[in-house]
Amino acid sequence: MSAIALLYAVHRDRLVNERMPVHQIAEEFGRRVDADVFPYSGYLMLDMLTFLADRGVPIDRTALKVRTDPDAPDATVLTTEHRELLPRLDPAQYPVKEVREFLEDYDDLADDELQEAVTDTLGLLRTTIADLAENEVCVILIS
């Protein structure tokens, strides 16, 4: 079974004012970010978000109150508030050995391949957060 990570740029007010779950708002009103920017499995994105949270980087938290649905894709909302985390999203801070110990299901990747995937994932998170307009959020849906 595989997973996919889809990124959507959504107007912040939509998340605040709509009475729909966040995944539905993203899919109906969001602008989908080109899928080619993240060619990896959605599990890698989910694992990296968990890895960061485990290290005290609250990438999975936001002050926005969003509606979720337990039967819907996993959703993470990135906002301009996350910009303070940008220095902690530097791949140089996470040696491949530390990442490999946490990410148990990636034995098929050589160290350089894993490092590239981690660098790409953290780079995408950094760029996405840095490029957000003040009235915009990024919704990451993993399904």
Side-chain angles (χ1 to χ4, degrees), residues 19-45:
R19 299 192 186 279
M20 295 185 278
V22 65
H23 78 280
Q24 191 175 353
I25 294 170
E27 291 168 345
E28 288 189 27
F29 301 108
R31 178 180 40 82
R32 188 163 163 206
V33 176
D34 184 2
D36 291 338
V37 300
F38 191 73
Y40 305 100
S41 166
Y43 290 123
L44 177 63
M45 178 64 77

Side-chain angles (χ1 to χ4, degrees), residues 62-107:
T62 179
L64 283 179
K65 301 295 182 211
V66 296
R67 291 171 182 78
T68 58
D69 178 347
D71 297 324
D74 184 71
T76 299
V77 178
L78 303 177
T79 69
T80 55
E81 300 156 6
H82 288 100
R83 286 187 181 143
E84 67 186 36
L85 303 177
L86 292 178
R88 298 181 68 192
L89 299 178
D90 180 357
Q93 292 189 28
Y94 306 105
V96 72
K97 182 180 178 196
E98 179 183 355
V99 174
R100 186 170 296 284
E101 287 173 5
F102 187 84
L103 304 178
E104 298 171 358
D105 296 330
Y106 296 88
D107 294 336

